[in-house]
C-alpha cells in the first residue's frame, strides 16, 4: 500500500518533470544573448535586462549567486566559461575577480565619459553603475544629528553601551573598515573598530534592516547601514515598518572630513567571454540615461552619474560629499579589515 | 569442507555485481567531500591565520548547538513518537501527521520568520535570538527527523514484547523506558544523527542569529578573510568530525542487541491516557506543531498577504518539483545500493555507509565547491566542456546525492535491520545470487523504508539552497533560490510567498509519507490480506 501511494507520488513528479521539460524555460532560443553572472538579485535588475533587450534585441541570461561562489564557478569553468559579464554589489568582490585574472580590460568612450574616475577600475577591468552610501541611523529621541556627524563619534564614550552593529562577515562592514585603512592606516582602523566594539549593546545579529529596527525600538541609539535600507523601510507595505522609521534619522557622516563611505555596484567583462561585444554593450547600457534613470526609483541606489537626478525619495535624503579613494583599496585591504574585526572581537 | 568453501566464496565475490554497484555509488556520493578534504590537506595560502580563534570558537559553537538544539530535537521527537504510537489521547490520529509539518520548513526560513516577529518592535515579549534562539529553532524545526524514525521503529516493534511487559504490570512510563525505548533506539539514533548533522551543516539560521559555528566560520574564512583554502580546511574538520560521529554512533548502536524477537505481528496495544495526562499530551503536541510550523508560517502568510504580489513563482515551483523528483530518484538508487551492500558486507564494506553519509554534515556550498573542483580537473583534462544546461543539471544531481545520501542510506539501513542474517544466509545456501537476493529479499523487506527515504529526500531537495544556487543553469530559479534572493536583499515581504511555497511543495510528500508509515506495519498489511478482526485498530 505505501508503495502504491509513493508510485502515485512519483507519477505526479514525473508529469511535473515532463511539464518542465516542455516549458520554454532554460535554454534561450535566440542566437543573440549575453550571459551574466551576478551577485545582485534585485527585481530592478530584471527590469534592466528587459530594457536592454528592448533597446538592442540582445537577451540577458542571468545566473544569480554569491560573488565568492560565482568567482569559483568562473575559475572552474576556465576558458569554457558561460559567463560574459560578472556583476557584483561590492567593489572588493570585483577587485578579487580582477586579481584572479578573470576580467579583461575594456575601455570605451561612453564608459569613460559616463563613469566618474573614482567609481571605476583604473585599468578598465570593472565599471561602477550604481552607488550606495554607508550612513549612520540614529534614534531621534536620544541622539542629536550632531552627535553622529562622524564615523569616529561611534567609537567614543558618548555611545557606551548604545550601538548595535551587523556582523563583520558582511562585505559592507568590511569595505567601510578597508576604506579607513586606506585613508588613515591599520592602527587607526584597529583603534576605531575596538572603540565601536566596546560600545555594543549585544553581539552582532541579523542584517542592516534588523539594526535599524533595533535603533527605532530604542534597544540602541545608533547603527551603521546602507542608505537604501532606511528608504525601503519608510516605503514598506508593513505599517509597523513605517511606524518604526518615524523614530529614526539618517546622517551622511564625515561631511566636514573625508566624506561618506560609498561602495559601488559594478561589472566587468570576463576574460574568456564568448560574446564580448554584447557584454560591452550591456555595460554601456547600464550607465546610459535610460538605465540610470530607471535604477534609482526601482532600487533606491544612487545613479553613478552625477548629472542624473536621483528619484524624489533619494533626493529627500539630501546631497552629500562622498569619499574619494581608489576603489581597489576596498579589495586590497579587505583581508586585513577582517583580521582587525576578528582581533577586536567584532565577528 | 574448508577447502570447498574458499573457492565458492571467491567466486561469489567475483560476480557480486551489487557490491561493485555499491562501491561505485559510494564513490559518487563521497567524491565531493573527499575532494574538499584533499584540497584542505594540499599546501595552500596558509589561510589558518585569521588573527583569532575562529576554528576553536566554531567547533565550540557547533558542539553546544548540537547539545542543546539537537538534544531538544531528539527529546521532542522521541516523546512525540512514543505518544502517538503507543498511547491514546485526544487528537492523536491528527497529530500523527501534523507532527511532521515542520520537516517541510527549512531552518533558515524558521529563523527569518522568528526574527521578524520577535525582534525589535515585534509583538512577542520573548525575543528568539542568539544561542538560545538558534537552539530553539533547531529543536522545534528538526524534531520531525527523530519523530519519523522513532515512529517507524515503534511501529515495527513486536507487540508481544510490549504485551508481555504489560501483563507483568509495568507502568506506561516504565514500559517506555525499559522496553519500547531500547527497542526503538536504532531508529531514534538514526533520526537523531540526521538532526545533529542538519545543525552542523546549517548556515542561514546560525548566521542570522550571529553565532560562530563551524559552518559560519567556513564562510567567514572564505568571504571575509578571502581564504577559500582556510574555509576548506574548516570544512574538512567538519567532515572528518561527522565521519567519526557516524562511526561512534554505529558502534554504540551495534552493541545494543535489538534482534526482532517474535515475528508475530499484531496491532500495537495502546495505553488510554487519563484525562489529565491526555490533555498534557495534546498540549505537548499542539505546542510542537505550533512552534515548529503554524506560528512562523502563519507570520509568513501575513507578510505574503501584505505584499500581495506573487510575481512569477510558477516556473520556480515547477523547477523545484522537477529537481526534487529526479534528484530524489538518483540519490535513492545510489543509497539503496550502498545500504544493501553494506548490510551484507563485513568490515571495510561497512565503511561505505559512513563515507557516503558524511556529506550531510557539511554546508551545501562546500560540497558544491568540492564538485566544482573535480569538474575543473575533468575540464582541464579535456573530458568535458563548460557548465552548459545539461552538465550543470548533472552536477546538481551529483551534489544532491553527495549531500543527502545519509538521508537515504540511514532509513534504508534501519529498514534492513529487520532482516535476520539467517534469511540472507538461507537464500545464499539455496543458490540465490546477489541480484536475486536484492530483488526478492532486501528490497521487499526495506520497501517501506525506501519509500520513506524517497520522500525525505524529496523534501530535502525542495529545501536545498546553496548547491542549487551555484550549480544551476541560467535563468533557472527554484523556490528556495527565489526566497533567498529576496531575503538576502532584506526584502522579507517579497521572500514570504516563495518561502511558503517551499513549505507547501514539501507538504504533499510528507502527508504521503506519514500515511505510508502508518500502513507499513507488517501487522496491518497482513490484517488487510486476510479479513482481520482488528482491522479498525490503528
Amino acid at each position: 500500500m505505501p508503495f502504491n501511494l509513493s508510485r502515485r507520488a512519483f507519477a505526479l513528479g514525473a508529469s511535473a518533470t515532463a511539464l518542465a521539460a516542455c516549458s520554454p524555460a532554460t535554454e534561450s532560443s535566440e542566437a543573440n544573448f549575453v550571459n551574466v553572472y551576478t551577485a545582485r538579485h534585485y527585481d530592478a535588475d530584471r527590469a534592466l535586462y528587459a530594457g536592454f533587450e528592448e533597446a538592442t534585441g540582445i537577451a540577458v541570461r542571468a545566473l544569480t549567486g554569491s560573488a565568492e561562489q560565482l568567482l569559483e564557478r568562473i575559475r572552474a569553468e576556465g576558458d569554457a566559461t558561460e559567463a560574459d559579464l560578472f556583476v557584483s554589489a561590492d567593489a572588493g568582490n570585483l577587485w578579487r575577480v580582477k586579481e584572479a585574472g578573470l576580467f579583461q580590460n575594456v575601455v570605451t568612450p561612453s564608459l569613460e565619459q559616463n563613469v566618474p574616475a573614482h567609481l571605476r577600475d583604473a585599468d578598465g577591468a570593472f565599471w561602477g553603475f550604481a552607488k550606495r552610501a554607508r550612513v549612520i541611523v540614529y534614534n531621534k529621541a536620544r541622539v542629536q544629528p550632531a552627535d553622529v556627524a562622524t564615523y569616529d563619534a561611534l567609537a567614543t564614550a558618548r555611545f557606551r553601551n548604545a550601538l548595535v552593529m551587523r556582523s563583520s562577515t558582511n562585505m559592507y562592514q568590511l569595505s567601510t573598515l578597508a576604506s579607513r585603512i586606506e585613508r588613515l592606516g591599520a592602527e587607526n582602523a584597529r583603534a576605531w573598530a575596538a572603540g565601536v566594539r566596546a560600545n555594543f549593546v549585544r553581539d552582532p545579529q541579523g542584517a542592516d534592516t534588523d539594526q535599524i529596527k533595533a535603533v527605532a525600538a530604542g534597544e540602541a541609539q545608533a547603527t551603521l547601514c546602507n542608505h537604501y535600507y532606511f528608504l525601503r523601510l519608510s516605503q514598506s507595505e508593513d505599517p509597523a515598518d513605517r511606524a518604526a522609521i518615524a523614530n529614526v534619522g539618517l546622517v551622511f557622516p564625515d561631511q566636514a572630513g573625508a566624506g561618506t563611505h560609498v561602495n559601488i555596484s559594478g561589472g566587468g567583462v570576463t576574460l574568456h567571454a564568448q560574446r564580448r561585444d554584447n557584454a560591452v554593450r550591456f555595460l554601456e547600457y547600464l550607465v546610459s540615461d535610460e538605465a540610470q534613470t530607471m535604477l534609482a526609483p526601482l532600487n533606491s541606489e544612487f545613479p553613478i552619474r552625477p548629472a542624473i537626478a536621483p528619484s524624489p525619495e533619494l533626493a529627500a535624503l539630501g546631497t552629500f560629499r562622498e569619499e574619494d579613494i581608489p576603489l581597489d583599496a576596498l579589495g586590497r585591504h579587505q583581508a586585513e579589515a577582517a583580521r582587525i574585526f576578528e582581533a577586536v572581537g567584532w565577528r | 569442507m574448508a577447502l570447498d568453501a574458499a573457492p565458492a566464496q571467491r567466486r561469489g565475490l567475483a560476480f557480486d555485481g551489487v557490491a561493485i554497484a555499491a562501491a561505485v555509488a559510494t564513490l559518487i556520493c563521497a567524491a565531493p567531500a573527499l575532494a574538499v578534504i584533499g584540497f584542505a590537506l594540499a599546501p595552500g595560502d596558509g589561510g589558518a591565520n585569521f588573527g583569532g580563534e575562529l576554528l576553536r570558537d566554531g567547533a565550540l559553537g557547533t558542539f553546544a548547538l548540537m547539545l542543546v538544539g539537537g538534544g531538544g530535537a531528539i527529546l521532542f521527537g522521541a516523546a512525540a513518537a512514543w505518544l502517538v504510537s503507543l498511547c491514546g489521547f485526544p487528537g492523536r490520529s491528527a497529530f500523527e501527521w501534523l507532527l511532521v509539518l515542520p520537516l517541510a520548513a527549512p531552518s533558515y526560513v524558521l529563523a527569518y520568520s522568528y526574527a521578524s516577529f520577535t525582534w525589535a518592535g515585534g509583538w512577542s515579549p520573548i525575543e528568539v535570538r542568539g544561542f538560545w534562539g538558534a537552539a530553539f529553532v533547531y529543536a522545534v524545526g528538526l524534531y520531525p527527523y527523530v519523530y519519523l524514525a522513532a515512529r517507524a521503529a515503534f511501529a515495527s516493534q513486536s507487540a508481544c514484547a510490549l504485551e508481555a511487559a504489560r501483563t507483568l504490570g509495568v507502568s506506561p512510563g516504565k514500559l517506555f523506558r525499559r522496553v519500547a525505548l531500547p527497542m526503538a533506539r536504532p531508529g531514534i539514533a538514526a533520526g537523531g544523527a540526521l538532526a545533529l548533522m542538519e545543525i552542523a551543516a546549517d548556515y542561514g539560521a546560525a548566521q542570522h542569529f550571529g553565532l560562530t559555528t563551524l559552518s559560519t566560520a567556513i564562510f567567514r574564512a572564505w568571504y571575509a578573510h578571502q581564504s577559500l583554502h582556510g574555509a576548506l580546511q574548516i570544512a574538512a574538520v567538519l567532515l572528518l568530525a561527522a565521519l567519526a560521529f557516524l562511526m561512534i554512533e554505529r558502534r554504540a548502536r551495534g552493541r545494543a542487541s535489538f534482534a526482532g524477537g517474535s515475528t508475530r505481528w499484531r496491532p500495537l496495544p495502546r495505553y488510554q491516557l487519563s484525562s489529565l495526562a491526555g490533555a498534557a499530551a495534546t498540549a505537548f503536541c499542539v505546542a510542537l506543531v505550533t512552534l515548529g510550523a503554524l506560528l512562523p508560517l502563519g507570520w509568513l502568510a501575513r507578510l505574503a498577504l501584505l505584499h500581495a504580489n506573487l510575481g512569477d513563482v510558477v516556473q520556480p515551483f515547477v523547477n523545484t518539483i522537477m529537481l526534487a523528483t529526479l534528484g530524489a530518484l538518483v540519490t535513492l538508487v545510489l543509497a539503496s545500493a550502498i545500504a544493501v551492500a553494506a548490510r551484507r558486507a563485513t568490515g571495510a564494506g561497512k565503511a561505505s555507509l559512513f563515507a557516503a553519509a558524511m556529506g550531510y554534515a557539511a554546508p551545501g556550498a562546500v560540497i558544491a565547491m568540492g564538485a566544482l573542483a573535480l569538474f575543473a580537473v575533468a575540464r582541464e583534462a579535456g573530458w568535458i566542456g563548460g557548465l552548459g544546461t545539461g552538465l550543470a543539471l548533472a552536477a546538481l544531481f551529483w551534489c544532491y546525492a553527495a549531500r543527502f545520501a545519509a538521508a537515504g542510506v540511514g532509513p534504508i539501513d534501519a529498514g534492513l535491520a529487520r532482516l535476520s542474517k539467517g534469511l540472507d544466509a538461507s537464500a545464499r545456501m539455496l543458490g540465490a545470487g546477489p541480484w536475486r537476493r536484492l530483488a526478492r529479499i532486501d528490497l521487499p523487506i526495506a520497501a517501506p523504508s525506501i519509500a520513506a527515504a524517497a520522500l525525505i529526500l524529496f523534501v530535502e531537495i525542495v529545501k536545498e539552497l546553496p548547491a542549487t544556487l551555484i550549480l544551476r543553469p541560467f535563468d533557472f530559479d527554484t523556490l528556495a533560490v527565489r526566497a533567498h534572493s529576496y531575503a538576502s536583499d532584506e526584502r522579507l515581504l517579497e521572500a514570504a510567498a516563495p518561502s511558503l511555497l517551499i513549505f507547501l511543495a514539501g507538504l504533499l510528500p510528507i502527508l504521503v509519507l506519514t500515511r505510508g508509515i502508518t500502513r507499513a506495519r507488517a501487522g496491518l498489511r497482513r490484517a488487510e490480506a486476510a479479513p482481520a478482526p482488528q482491522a479498525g485498530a490503528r
Side-chain angles (χ1 to χ4, degrees), chain A residues 254-313:
Chain A
D254 284 5
Q255 290 306 291
T260 299
H261 170 60
V262 293
N263 203 331
I264 58 161
S265 276
V269 179
T270 59
L271 180 64
H272 298 293
Q274 292 162 36
R275 289 151 290 264
R276 182 185 182 279
D277 292 346
N278 287 357
V280 173
R281 285 182 74 179
F282 185 57
L283 265 188
E284 290 180 335
Y285 173 78
L286 288 175
V287 296
S288 68
D289 287 3
E290 179 182 318
Q292 288 284 299
T293 320
M294 219 155 100
L295 204 56
L298 283 175
N299 209 38
S300 305
E301 288 172 289
F302 289 105
I304 207 86
R305 288 165 54 184
I308 302 280
S311 62
E313 297 81 24

Side-chain angles (χ1 to χ4, degrees), chain A residues 230-255:
Chain A
F230 176 91
L231 273 184
R232 267 195 221 153
L233 280 178
S234 66
Q235 299 161 7
S236 171
E237 288 143 316
D238 189 340
D241 290 345
R242 296 195 300 273
I245 215 71
N247 298 332
V248 296
L250 177 151
V251 159
F252 291 103
D254 284 5
Q255 290 306 291

Side-chain angles (χ1 to χ4, degrees), chain B residues 71-101:
Chain B
I74 291 171
L75 206 66
F76 293 161
W82 156 253
L83 284 175
V84 300
S85 301
L86 298 172
C87 299
F89 59 94
R92 190 204 61 82
S93 58
F95 285 122
E96 230 169 33
W97 61 272
L98 280 173
L99 280 165
V100 195
L101 291 186

Side-chain angles (χ1 to χ4, degrees), chain B residues 2 29 98 111 201 265 318 336 369 405 412 471 479 532:
Chain B
C29 292
L98 280 173
W265 300 96
V318 173
S336 302
M369 284 305 119
I412 297 172
L471 289 173
L479 293 170

Side-chain angles (χ1 to χ4, degrees), chain B residues 442-469:
Chain B
D442 298 326
L443 291 184
I445 283 194
S449 312
I450 290 176
L455 297 168
I456 291 182
L457 287 170
F458 182 93
V459 177
E460 289 286 2
I461 297 175
V462 165
K463 295 191 290 185
E464 207 284 336
L465 172 69
T468 313
L469 199 56

Side-chain angles (χ1 to χ4, degrees), chain A residues 69-147:
Chain A
Q69 295 181 28
L70 289 170
L71 166 60
E72 294 310 317
R73 178 157 165 172
I74 294 178
R75 213 198 291 269
E77 289 178 324
D79 57 12
T81 189
E82 299 272 325
D84 302 313
L85 209 65
F86 176 87
V87 170
S88 170
D90 170 49
N93 281 324
L94 293 166
W95 176 83
R96 265 202 241 190
V97 179
K98 183 189 177 188
E99 278 295 292
L102 292 169
F103 273 146
Q104 54 177 290
N105 294 337
V106 169
V107 179
T108 74
S110 108
L111 285 172
E112 282 204 298
Q113 186 197 330
N114 284 332
V115 184
H118 69 289
L119 299 174
R120 67 195 201 207
D121 177 57
D123 301 321
F126 55 87
W127 300 80
F129 60 84
K131 62 187 181 191
R132 55 198 61 206
R134 199 74 181 152
V135 300
I136 298 176
V137 164
Y138 61 92
N139 186 304
K140 281 184 194 165
R142 300 165 72 184
V143 179
Q144 295 301 313
D147 297 344

